[in-house]
Amino acid sequence: MLRFDQAPPFSVPLRFFLTAPAFAFLAALVALRQGPALFESRWSPAALAITHLLTLGVLGMVMLGAMLQILPVLAGAPVARPRAVAFAVHAGLALGTLALAAGFLTAEPALMALAMGLLGFAFAVFLSALAWALWRVRVVSATVAALRLAGIALAVTVLLGLWLAAGRSGFGAMPAPALRDLHPAWGLLGWAGMLIAAVAAQVVPMFHMTPAYPKWMRWLPFAALGMLAAGWIAGPVGLYAGFAATTLWLHAKRRRRQPDVNFVFWRAAVVCSLAAALVWLATPYWGGQMLVGVLVIAGALLSVVTAMLYKIVPFLAWLHLQARLGAQAPNVRQYLDERKQRRQLWLHLLAVALLAAAVTAPQFFAYPAAILFAASAVQLGSNLLSITLEYRKRAAS
Amino acid sequence: MANIGDYMSQEHRQCDEAFARAEDAVASGDWAAAQAAFEAFHGAMQRHFALEEEKLFPAFEEATGMSGAGPTQTMRIEHEQMRRLFEEMKQAALARESAQYLGLSETLLLLMQQHNIKEESMMYPMLDEALGSRAGELIAAC
């Protein structure tokens, strides 16, 4: 029988959310150790280690944890055996990401092999759980369709990543250079882009109270996947730029204008997406790949993911508490002092700006950028921990 | 032919508008306007819930045999959660406690919108599918 109330226990998504800031902090430590040399090449071991600490350890960590939580809401599709799935995916992803970063930094084939095993396992479990939930859905909404395609893109990203890792550690032939660009393209423009666009299409109109996105935009994930499959990367870049510009336009018409930290994170994400698309288009004439990476990963994706964390974690705390305490449960604004959220917002924005500056003038900005990024990670971790401790205190009372 | 999904989703947007008006009035400190705007919002929500709980859900349960642990049960439970928040918001508006009201309204918005996503993407399409041509008369009768 169809049930769409099967929210998993709080511990299922929470372990992912609390782990993510630790990986952001680790990435900052590697950047500090590396200094200005980090910005010389995106293929340097330290740049690859940092990129994967952020994409797998921070973004992937939050996205996978959030998916386990929101599938019942977005798709009426609960994940089977949520505790076991969460344990396997979380442990595999966390340990696998550590092994991968260490493998890049040390060039030790045994660490790469360990990383491939752990990450391959974690994603196999996650994708199986996702497929099992999404392919049983009765009413296939635009969101469900987009999530299915995002899942396919994630599978392609993982396979390309395993292939690259095998080549790098000498277990197989290194794929051709053209294939090396396809791995980030499928990960960022495929999985992450489709997931965020699908979530934004629900979240922006409802939480910022804007008009709905134009109906034809439902075809965006199909078009993006088709273009990626054809190896045409400029296509999805243009599509997401269009989506970001539309979000900007919808935001200008928003009905809810209460000052909101969440809104600034979203606005930052949209601006960074548009800037990334412009820089990418100019890249053949001016080597801007490193800047594109900073704008997409730290600027756009990390901003959206942080905005979601500040909405989801207090709401889940409230949801689980009100089931026990009724009206005694503190409301969503009573778990965390808003000033702490605002402080982290400014640390984050400043860190992104300094990272972008460090791409062009690493000798001046590399260290300040890494320090600010570390401070932002610590503040985010401490904020999420505050919410959790407040929840524990109330739950025990 | 009238379609439950379109009609009820439209009501969601109207309730959202009333919600935002009440929130703006509370934030501006105009308590007379805030209390009136909250009552307008509250009334719109009660009428919307009544249409679902008294007309649409029973017709769906009868047509499909899905009651008890079915999807309508989940929707009713979430309506109850929202009703408790309405009561607290009403008290906060009467006591003129703006921080309390805005914290509660933020909580309600999250609960209400994840509820709306479920209804608009799953519950209403299922209602339209199960009730077919009866949908028009059920909506017209209210």
Side-chain angles (χ1 to χ4, degrees):
Chain A
M1 184 161 296
L2 178 73
R3 291 280 300 267
F4 33 75
D5 62 327
Q6 288 163 347
F10 198 10
S11 68
V12 162
L14 192 61
R15 75 189 75 195
F16 291 88
F17 301 157
L18 291 176
T19 309
F23 277 98
F25 185 72
L26 268 183
L29 287 187
V30 177
L32 269 180
R33 181 171 160 273
Q34 196 67 13
L38 172 65
F39 294 91
E40 279 164 16
S41 160
R42 61 184 263 232
W43 301 112
S44 72
L48 288 170
I50 289 173
T51 304
H52 288 85
L53 285 169
L54 294 178
T55 52
L56 291 169
V58 183
L59 303 174
M61 192 63 79
V62 177
M63 287 170 170
L64 266 49
M67 283 287 270
L68 297 179
Q69 175 67 39
I70 64 175
L71 272 176
V73 177
L74 287 180
V79 171
R81 301 179 58 89
R83 285 172 201 270
V85 169
F87 176 79
V89 174
H90 175 260
L93 184 60
L95 298 173
T97 304
L98 287 175
L100 184 67
F104 280 128
L105 291 172
T106 61
E108 170 61 53
L111 282 170
M112 291 302 269
L114 181 64
M116 288 163 65
L118 287 166
L119 292 171
F121 166 75
F123 282 109
V125 172
F126 175 76
L127 285 166
S128 310
L130 184 70
W132 188 84
L134 282 182
W135 264 265
R136 288 163 62 251
V137 173
R138 265 189 58 193
V139 184
V140 179
S141 61
T143 309
V144 171
L147 293 181
R148 286 177 177 175
L149 298 184
I152 292 171
L154 179 61
V156 174
T157 309
V158 172
L159 290 175
L160 286 170
L162 289 172
W163 188 5
L164 287 166
R168 195 176 180 87
S169 42
F171 301 121
M174 194 63 189
L179 274 171
R180 295 195 301 190
D181 280 334
L182 284 183
H183 169 66
W186 279 86
L188 298 173
L189 299 168
W191 157 255
M194 284 186 220
L195 179 66
I196 302 272
V199 170
Q202 294 280 1
V203 162
V204 168
M206 288 189 155
F207 294 101
H208 303 145
M209 293 195 177
T210 71
Y213 284 86
K215 283 220 162 131
W216 57 264
M217 283 211 167
R218 289 178 182 180
W219 293 100
L220 186 143
F222 292 93
L225 194 78
M227 291 165 177
L228 280 173
W232 186 40
I233 294 176
V237 170
L239 286 179
Y240 290 116
F243 187 82
T246 307
T247 309
L248 211 54
W249 175 69
L250 293 176
H251 269 160
K253 298 182 166 194
R254 73 191 190 280
R255 177 66 186 79
R256 196 166 185 244
R257 290 187 176 270
Q258 297 304 321
D260 189 6
V261 174
N262 184 271
F263 180 78
V264 185
F265 274 112
W266 272 95
R267 175 52 59 85
V270 170
V271 170
C272 287
S273 308
L274 285 171
L278 289 176
V279 174
W280 190 85
L281 289 171
T283 290
Y285 317 101
W286 171 66
Q289 287 180 338
M290 190 68 101
L291 186 55
V292 172
V294 165
L295 288 170
V296 171
I297 294 170
L301 296 175
L302 187 55
S303 297
V304 170
V305 155
T306 309
M308 297 300 289
L309 283 174
Y310 283 134
K311 287 282 177 199
I312 294 177
V313 181
F315 179 66
L316 291 180
W318 175 82
L319 196 65
H320 288 281
L321 277 183
Q322 64 84 35
R324 289 198 212 183
L325 307 174
Q328 301 300 313
N331 68 56
V332 292
R333 290 199 181 165
Q334 290 172 319
Y335 297 90
L336 177 68
D337 186 344
E338 211 206 327
R339 282 170 300 182
K340 291 185 183 170
Q341 226 183 98
R342 200 166 289 280
R343 192 182 308 151
Q344 199 256 319
L345 167 70
W346 290 113
L347 288 171
H348 169 72
L349 293 180
L350 202 53
V352 172
L354 287 170
L355 279 169
V359 173
T360 39
Q363 67 278 28
F364 299 119
F365 295 110
Y367 288 112
I371 290 168
L372 258 292
F373 199 81
S376 173
V378 169
Q379 184 75 59
L380 176 62
S382 131
N383 287 355
L384 296 178
L385 210 54
S386 296
I387 300 170
T388 312
L389 292 176
E390 184 65 24
Y391 165 81
R392 288 259 170 89
K393 199 176 90 190
R394 300 294 183 127
S397 67
Chain B
M1 192 185 74
N3 163 302
I4 294 178
D6 291 345
Y7 181 86
M8 299 299 279
S9 301
Q10 185 58 33
E11 281 206 1
H12 283 164
R13 301 293 89 77
Q14 288 160 359
C15 290
D16 286 351
E17 176 63 31
F19 169 92
R21 266 200 296 271
E23 206 177 47
D24 286 345
V26 169
S28 72
D30 183 348
W31 286 103
Q35 282 155 11
F38 174 76
E39 282 313 317
F41 164 63
H42 193 188
M45 290 297 288
Q46 298 288 24
R47 284 192 297 280
H48 179 76
F49 286 176
L51 174 56
E52 291 180 344
E53 293 180 356
E54 289 161 24
K55 294 240 170 71
L56 300 176
F57 292 175
F60 173 82
E61 287 157 4
E62 199 185 287
T64 62
M66 270 200 252
S67 56
T72 49
Q73 182 62 18
T74 309
M75 296 297 98
R76 289 177 203 268
I77 291 170
E78 293 187 353
H79 288 172
E80 280 314 309
Q81 292 172 335
M82 283 187 258
R83 285 191 174 105
R84 285 203 291 271
L85 284 171
F86 296 152
E87 281 315 306
E88 291 181 68
M89 288 164 76
K90 188 174 176 175
Q91 298 307 320
L94 288 173
R96 306 191 168 193
E97 290 171 347
S98 63
Q100 172 74 357
Y101 182 95
L102 293 173
L104 291 166
S105 72
E106 176 77 20
T107 311
L108 175 70
L109 184 69
L110 288 157
L111 181 65
M112 184 166 78
Q113 298 299 24
Q114 61 95 37
H115 176 78
N116 289 353
I117 291 171
K118 289 180 195 171
E119 285 193 337
E120 291 176 24
S121 64
M122 291 171 284
M123 191 72 239
Y124 295 157
M126 286 166 64
L127 285 175
D128 273 315
E129 189 189 294
L131 301 177
S133 57
R134 284 185 60 209
E137 70 185 82
L138 283 165
I139 294 170
C142 56

